[in-house]
């Protein structure tokens, strides 16, 4: 049970990188970007192909995963900004085409990395620690570094312009920012991170699979939503940008812990997706329901007092 | 400073909703001109501003600003020359960002944005002193989210943001129309003060005839996409609301000015 939980935490940390990617589009840009499902699998497939088929370094493979994800995000971005295709549809188009592209990249639907080096096996050899401990520690470092870089980037002039694009597009355009460019950068960065997460997941589970990205967007949203609830439960209601990023990753860890627990309790792994969707739907629906019931409660006919 | 020559714009061309918003408009603004624009609904006042700002592409004509032809420049590229305040107080500021973040974004209008820190410590002082000039107490609230401010405060902040780096031309699109009368008066007073201090060339669209008469040194009236009346200086100073109403009835063939213009 304990190993299962520690595995869940590692998984949550690695997926946390993808969640941070989803955070950029969903929370900062206000676009639910469906490219995510495709770009996560793309990151995994590219990683496996680079390591297994090309025999390259696993670290280099991760760079390729990031770059491939960024290109996928760029395609969605161009479809959306240049050709004014609605963002959701642009994401669906890219995601759908990535299915075929991923199969082409790997040549088959599943590529195992059994005898190949991964960054985790290397670190394990280097430190003498077990593979699962190394994955956990590396996950903490990778998620921490990603948060730090994002915190820095979104504080810069370009990063601020990007946040403003999601907040008030007309205003930031009147202040001289090309919002097509900022949206493109955001989509590339977001999917780059999701691709990177795909590569990390591929290396930690030691295989890449064509279906590994299915539902990634929902997992990302569920993690963000759980993270927000956690943030509100914390004393002082953490609202600062860095704490929002940290709670997104924390949400990802909690999501995979819940998943590990319900799987231990005998739930079918394939039912997990419907559970994720229910979590997201509930999280989005509950505030609306609470507002409605408050309005009903507070309504008075008047004239009685 | 600003020259529009033979500018035309038709919306929804070829459909049943075809509407000629600007009909061969030519207009020249001298440096320092503070022009107020009045006219009924659909007269083309806002379209005039939006064409200058680059919101829609031109059908015909050219727009030249301080010697530069900006007719084909996209909106974000024209922004380096223009300060803009919109009718809706929500449109001019980013609600989820702090006051100082909004000012820092505005301070970089038209400049290339890079990877240096977006909100350097050294800029606080300038922001505090400029906010203090507004007299709304915002100088003590740099770290507050703009969404916490009232409509009037947001509009005053937008005005400050539009003029933080001096624009060649300030465009005000009915920027007090959504405010209550008292707040509107305060924002107008600030507008007059800021324009005067920085000698800004300004176009202010308004539906309030009194404001149009009392502010600025030039007044133009628009009707059905044309400039039908253009007065400046002494002649403008002598205008009364009655004169304007009469003028308006002349051109619109007896049809009365819309209620909004009469009531305010």
């Amino acid at each position: 049970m304990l190993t299962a939980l520690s595995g869940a935490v590692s998984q949550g940390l690695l997926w946390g990188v993808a969640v941070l990617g989803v955070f950029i589009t969903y929370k900062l840009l206000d676009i639910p970007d469906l490219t995510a499902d495709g770009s996560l699998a793309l990151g995994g497939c590219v990683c496996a192909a680079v390591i297994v088929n090309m025999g390259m370094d696993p670290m280099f493979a991760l760079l390729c995963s990031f770059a491939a994800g960024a290109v996928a995000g760029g395609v969605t971005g161009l479809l959306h900004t240049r050709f004014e295709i609605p963002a959701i549809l642009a994401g669906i188009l890219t995601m759908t085409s990535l299915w075929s592209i991923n199969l082409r990249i790997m040549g088959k639907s599943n590529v195992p990395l059994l005898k190949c080096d991964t960054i985790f096996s290397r670190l394990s050899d280097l430190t003498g620690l077990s593979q699962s401990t190394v994955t956990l520690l590396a996950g903490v470092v990778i998620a921490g570094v990603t948060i730090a870089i994002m915190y820095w980037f979104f504080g810069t002039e370009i990063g601020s312009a990007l946040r403003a694009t999601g907040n008030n597009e007309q205003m930031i355009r009147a202040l001289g920012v090309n919002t097509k460019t900022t949206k493109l950068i955001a989509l590339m960065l977001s999917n780059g991170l999701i691709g990177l997460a795909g590569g990390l997941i591929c290396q930690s589970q030691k295989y890449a699979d064509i279906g590994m990205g299915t539902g990634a967007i929902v997992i990302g949203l569920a993690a963000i939503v759980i993270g927000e609830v956690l943030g509100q439960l914390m004393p002082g209601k953490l609202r600062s940008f860095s704490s929002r990023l940290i709670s997104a990753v924390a949400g990802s860890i909690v999501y995979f812990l819940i998943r590990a627990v319900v799987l231990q309790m005998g739930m079918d792994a394939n039912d997990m997706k419907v559970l994720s969707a229910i979590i997201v739907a509930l999280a989005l629906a509950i505030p609306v329901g609470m507002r409605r019931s408050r309005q009903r409660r507070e309504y008075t006919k008047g004239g009685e007092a | 400073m600003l020259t529009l020559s033979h500018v035309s714009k038709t919306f929804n061309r070829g459909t049943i909703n075809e509407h000629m918003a600007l009909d061969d408009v030519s207009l020249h603004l001298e440096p320092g001109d503070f022009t107020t624009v009045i006219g009924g609904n659909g007269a083309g006042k806002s379209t005039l501003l939006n064409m200058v700002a680059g919101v829609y592409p031109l059908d015909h004509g050219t727009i030249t600003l301080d010697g530069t032809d900006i007719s084909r420049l996209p909106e974000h590229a024209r922004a380096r020359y223009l300060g803009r305040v919109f009718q809706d107080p929500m449109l001019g500021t980013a609600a989820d960002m702090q006051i100082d973040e909004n000012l820092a974004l505005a301070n970089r209008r038209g400049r290339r944005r890079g990877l240096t820190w977006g909100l350097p410590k050294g800029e606080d002082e300038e922001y505090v002193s400029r906010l203090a000039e507004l007299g709304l107490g915002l100088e003590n609230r740099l770290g507050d989210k703009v969404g916490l401010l009232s409509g009037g405060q947001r509009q005053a902040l937008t005005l400050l943001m539009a003029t933080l780096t001096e624009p060649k031309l300030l465009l005000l699109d009915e920027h007090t129309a959504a405010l209550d009368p008292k707040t509107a008066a305060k924002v107008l007073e600030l507008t007059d003060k800021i324009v005067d201090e920085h000698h800004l060339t300004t176009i202010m669209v308004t539906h309030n005839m009194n404001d149009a008469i009392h502010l600025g040194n030039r007044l133009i009236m628009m009707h059905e996409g044309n400039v039908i009346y253009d007065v400046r200086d002494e002649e403008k100073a002598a205008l009364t609301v009655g004169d304007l109403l009469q003028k308006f009835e002349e051109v619109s063939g007896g049809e009365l000015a819309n209620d909004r213009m009469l009531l305010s």
Side-chain angles (χ1 to χ4, degrees):
Chain A
M1 185 70 194
L2 206 63
T3 48
L5 290 185
S6 120
V9 174
S10 316
Q11 215 177 354
L13 285 163
L14 298 182
W15 270 88
V17 176
V19 173
L20 290 170
V22 175
F23 183 88
I24 294 177
T25 46
Y26 181 62
K27 278 289 159 187
L28 298 182
L29 221 55
D30 206 13
I31 293 176
D33 174 31
L34 295 181
T35 319
D37 284 25
S39 51
L40 192 110
L42 174 69
C45 296
V46 164
C47 182
V50 168
I51 292 177
V52 177
N53 301 354
M54 297 165 67
M56 305 284 265
D57 187 271
M59 203 63 200
F60 175 74
L62 288 180
L63 274 179
C64 296
S65 296
F66 180 88
V71 170
V75 171
T76 303
L78 287 176
L79 289 175
H80 176 47
T81 60
R82 289 288 148 203
F83 303 108
E84 296 176 13
I85 298 174
I88 291 186
L89 186 53
I92 291 175
L93 292 175
T94 312
M95 175 188 77
T96 306
S97 59
L98 279 174
W99 176 273
S100 314
I101 292 168
N102 290 342
L103 275 174
R104 287 271 169 208
I105 290 172
M106 290 202 298
K108 50 186 174 181
S109 61
N110 188 303
V111 173
L113 270 65
L114 288 175
K115 294 199 183 83
C116 305
D117 257 2
T118 67
I119 58 159
F120 304 110
S121 70
R122 281 211 181 150
L123 284 171
S124 169
D125 292 345
L126 211 65
T127 55
L129 296 167
S130 77
Q131 191 104 319
S132 59
T133 318
V134 161
T135 311
L136 186 64
L137 292 176
V140 172
V141 172
I142 292 166
V145 169
T146 310
I147 288 174
I149 292 176
M150 274 177 71
Y151 182 76
W152 164 76
F153 177 74
F154 285 104
T156 64
E157 291 177 342
I158 294 181
S160 306
L162 214 147
R163 280 187 292 139
T165 304
N167 208 243
N168 187 340
E169 204 177 326
Q170 169 154 16
M171 166 251 195
I172 195 66
R173 218 183 294 126
L175 294 178
V177 170
N178 186 346
T179 51
K180 290 181 177 173
T181 312
T182 48
K183 283 182 186 172
L184 186 66
I185 294 174
L187 281 163
M188 289 182 74
L189 196 60
S190 160
N191 284 289
L193 287 176
I194 297 168
L196 174 65
L200 288 166
I201 293 160
C202 157
Q203 294 199 19
S204 77
Q205 69 190 16
K206 291 209 141 244
Y207 67 89
D209 185 271
I210 186 71
M212 66 189 281
T214 313
I217 181 73
V218 179
I219 294 179
L221 295 179
I224 290 170
V225 164
I226 294 171
E228 280 180 347
V229 174
L230 290 177
Q232 274 162 12
L233 293 178
M234 292 288 173
K237 291 205 174 179
L238 305 168
R239 287 283 163 80
S240 75
F241 190 64
S242 52
S243 57
R244 285 173 75 197
L245 295 178
I246 294 168
S247 24
V249 175
S252 171
I253 295 171
V254 170
Y255 172 86
F256 281 95
L257 282 173
I258 295 174
R259 184 186 141 108
V261 170
V262 295
L263 289 182
Q264 285 281 325
M265 283 159 54
M267 198 177 99
D268 189 330
N270 288 326
D271 291 337
M272 199 54 211
K273 290 202 199 305
V274 72
L275 184 63
S276 321
I278 290 171
I279 291 176
V280 175
L282 278 180
L284 297 178
I286 286 172
V288 179
M290 279 168 62
R291 197 186 63 223
R292 285 237 182 94
S293 81
R294 195 176 54 240
Q295 277 167 352
R296 260 198 303 276
R297 244 193 346 269
E298 285 172 359
Y299 169 79
T300 50
K301 274 197 170 153
E304 291 138 31
Chain B
M1 177 53 81
L2 175 77
T3 307
L4 280 76
S5 71
H6 305 289
V7 169
S8 296
K9 180 70 189 175
T10 304
F11 290 110
N12 305 316
R13 189 187 291 279
T15 72
I16 190 117
N17 291 320
E18 182 169 304
H19 171 61
M20 189 163 212
L22 288 182
D23 181 7
D24 195 35
V25 170
S26 292
L27 185 68
H28 177 73
L29 260 64
E30 299 293 334
D33 265 0
F34 182 169
T35 306
T36 56
V37 184
I38 56 168
N41 289 336
K45 311 177 302 273
S46 289
T47 307
L48 181 77
L49 285 201
N50 286 333
M51 298 313 287
V52 174
V55 178
Y56 316 113
L58 285 171
D59 287 350
H60 303 288
T62 55
I63 301 176
T64 317
L65 183 64
D66 199 18
T68 317
D69 184 353
I70 60 168
S71 318
R72 311 287 301 263
L73 285 185
E75 188 179 359
H76 65 88
R78 294 188 201 188
R80 63 187 295 193
Y81 309 113
L82 307 173
R84 289 165 67 192
V85 185
F86 311 100
Q87 178 172 356
D88 183 349
M90 304 303 143
L91 284 184
T93 45
D96 291 340
M97 296 174 82
Q98 296 170 187
I99 293 180
D100 51 2
E101 287 180 305
N102 272 276
L103 286 165
L105 287 168
N107 208 14
R108 283 156 184 74
R109 178 168 50 78
R111 269 199 263 152
R112 202 176 176 79
R113 286 161 212 258
L115 289 175
T116 55
W117 200 240
L119 185 60
K121 275 273 165 280
E123 292 179 11
D124 278 5
E125 244 172 78
E126 189 197 348
Y127 299 157
V128 168
S129 72
R130 294 295 296 270
L131 283 168
E133 286 171 27
L134 298 180
L136 297 170
L138 295 180
E139 63 274 18
N140 306 316
R141 301 176 61 183
L142 278 187
D144 279 6
K145 296 265 162 72
V146 168
L148 299 171
L149 306 184
S150 69
Q153 288 172 323
R154 282 181 79 161
Q155 209 61 328
L157 180 62
T158 309
L159 188 63
L160 175 56
M161 285 165 62
T163 53
L164 195 58
T165 58
E166 215 163 278
K168 283 189 196 288
L169 179 67
L170 179 62
L171 301 175
L172 309 170
D173 189 2
E174 300 204 37
H175 68 309
T176 60
L179 306 175
D180 66 79
K182 203 176 147 208
T183 316
K186 172 78 185 162
V187 170
L188 267 190
E189 184 195 316
L190 283 170
T191 307
D192 203 26
K193 185 178 144 204
I194 290 175
V195 169
D196 192 49
E197 268 170 20
H198 301 273
H199 309 290
L200 297 173
T201 311
T202 304
I203 306 179
M204 179 175 96
V205 170
T206 178
H207 63 262
N208 186 312
M209 295 203 191
N210 261 316
D211 295 345
I213 289 170
H214 290 124
L215 267 76
N217 65 326
R218 184 172 175 187
L219 180 148
I220 64 178
M221 185 187 279
M222 293 189 71
H223 182 69
E224 289 179 351
N226 292 292
V227 174
I228 51 155
Y229 189 45
D230 185 350
V231 279
R232 55 183 305 140
D233 304 325
E234 293 85 24
E235 198 187 340
K236 172 182 183 281
L239 277 178
T240 63
V241 172
D243 294 340
L244 287 181
L245 278 177
Q246 198 190 349
K247 190 82 202 163
F248 196 86
E249 278 164 32
E250 263 171 42
V251 296
S252 56
E255 167 196 334
L256 220 68
N258 73 60
D259 298 348
R260 261 198 333 165
M261 294 172 72
L262 285 174
L263 288 171
S264 49

